[in-house]
Amino acid sequence: MIVDEGTNPFEVGVATELFGLPRPELGLPGPLYEVTVCAPTPEVRMNHGFFTLTGVAGLDAADGADTLIVPGRPDNVVPRGPEVLDAIRRTHARGARVISFCTGTFALAEAGLLDGRPATTHWRWAGEFRRLHPRVRLEPDVLFVDDGDVLTASGSAAALDLGLHVWHRDHGAEIANAVSRRLVFASHREGGQRQFVERPVPEVPGDSLGPLLAWALERLGEPLTVAGLAARAAVSPATLHRRFRTRLGTTPLAWLTRERVALACRLIERGEERLDVVAARSGLGTAANLRARLRRETGLTPSDYRRRFGPPDDLGL
């Protein structure tokens, strides 16, 4: 992770929490990631001078990284130092994955990594970003963009969404869900969800979605419908839709479909070979629908998903 003068400490903390801490709850013999913080200087003053990082590794530490994380900072119109941009270019050129959080996207654009590619950044800085980097295909209304070897998150909190997406991409739904439970954070929000709710409704006592979501998660294999969920919550479908949009940034049907796909992924990871069984138990109905939904959500076919995340002795679907 590259830090620079004025880097936002929250995003540094997010990256550390996501990838730098031991995770004994996974029951694995060792860590799945190792994090090194590097910078142009051994001491880095963080945004607003809240604290200073000392004893930081030099930028040459990035030369051995498989993934490079670039957090944001508020002074986006001030270019990053040439040594930082060189480290980003060098790391990407040798095939490493590069990830930016929030306005860290500016640094990736300055380094030339984003020309002609899709990316996102914080909605507040979208106009400034377009002015400075018109050749980037900016998507200002999404939480994050995964463009293969370059991934960008829209805001500080969206860094958590992108980080969990990376866990899922690298290690599968089962492990990503375990990490999200440790963080007490939603296990998966699609990158295409909007960054913010345009017309938030006031909080109303007693309208928490928690009990309804817990109830539905226990019954994903049953024929659940939006109307049925609304009836369970004793509200109209329109009210339920509004609450989902406000609380989760998505619709009831999209949430239900995403959770069913996540369950299907877990079943495949645990070794279930029969697609019709996976489809039935996850509520996706048919093997054809399972294939379509899994490809849409993960970019992988069931066979590819099993080869990547399934038990090692499986021969695949």
Side-chain angles (χ1 to χ4, degrees), residues 35-58:
V35 176
T36 299
V37 179
C38 62
T41 58
E43 294 189 1
V44 182
R45 183 175 181 269
M46 304 301 287
N47 183 19
H48 288 88
F50 288 124
F51 56 85
T52 298
L53 294 180
T54 61
V56 182

Side-chain angles (χ1 to χ4, degrees), residues 3-280:
V3 295
D4 198 1
E5 183 75 16
T7 293
N8 290 327
F10 179 83
E11 292 151 28
V12 174
V14 166
T16 303
E17 179 73 28
L18 280 166
F19 303 115
L21 300 185
R23 301 205 174 273
E25 70 274 14
L26 298 181
L28 300 174
L32 294 175
Y33 299 100
E34 295 180 0
V35 176
T36 299
V37 179
C38 62
T41 58
E43 294 189 1
V44 182
R45 183 175 181 269
M46 304 301 287
N47 183 19
H48 288 88
F50 288 124
F51 56 85
T52 298
L53 294 180
T54 61
V56 182
L59 291 175
D60 56 351
D63 293 337
D66 299 304
T67 298
L68 180 66
I69 297 176
V70 183
R73 66 180 193 184
D75 52 344
N76 304 304
V77 297
V78 179
R80 302 272 180 145
E83 66 276 25
V84 171
L85 298 181
D86 286 344
I88 295 172
R89 293 188 194 101
R90 194 167 63 243
T91 303
H92 180 255
R94 63 175 174 77
R97 176 172 58 186
V98 180
I99 297 173
S100 69
F101 289 164
C102 195
T103 56
T105 311
F106 280 78
L108 270 55
E110 290 164 18
L113 270 60
L114 300 179
D115 287 354
R117 303 183 67 159
T120 191
T121 192
H122 195 287
W123 59 267
R124 183 181 177 187
W125 301 104
E128 191 70 20
F129 186 92
R130 283 197 176 103
R131 183 184 69 81
L132 292 171
H133 307 291
R135 289 184 290 181
V136 179
R137 290 159 45 199
L138 185 68
E139 299 182 10
D141 289 337
V142 302
L143 291 175
F144 62 84
V145 172
D146 179 347
D147 195 36
D149 59 338
V150 177
L151 300 88
T152 53
S154 60
S156 296
L160 282 165
D161 293 293
L162 179 53
L164 288 170
H165 170 77
V166 169
W167 271 96
H168 185 281
R169 193 174 110 168
D170 290 351
H171 304 293
E174 191 80 15
I175 286 180
N177 286 338
V179 174
S180 72
R181 286 193 295 272
R182 169 78 176 267
L183 294 171
V184 195
F185 191 74
S187 61
H188 182 262
R189 292 196 297 169
E190 289 183 355
Q193 290 184 36
R194 296 184 64 85
Q195 291 189 29
F196 56 94
V197 179
E198 293 179 342
R199 293 181 297 276
V201 298
E203 290 287 337
V204 178
D207 70 347
S208 169
L209 288 174
L212 177 65
L213 300 183
W215 180 85
L217 288 173
E218 294 294 324
R219 296 165 175 80
L220 291 175
E222 300 178 12
L224 300 176
T225 63
V226 174
L229 293 175
R232 175 74 185 183
V235 298
S236 69
T239 297
L240 185 69
H241 191 280
R242 185 171 62 250
R243 290 181 182 175
F244 266 75
R245 277 291 188 192
T246 302
R247 305 297 189 275
L248 302 179
T250 189
T251 66
L253 182 58
W255 176 86
L256 188 59
T257 300
R258 194 162 58 248
E259 293 300 329
R260 283 172 163 161
V261 172
L263 175 56
C265 289
R266 293 196 295 273
L267 292 171
I268 293 173
E269 290 172 22
R270 293 170 185 172
E272 178 55 64
E273 299 182 7
R274 298 162 295 176
L275 284 188
D276 55 342
V277 173
V278 173

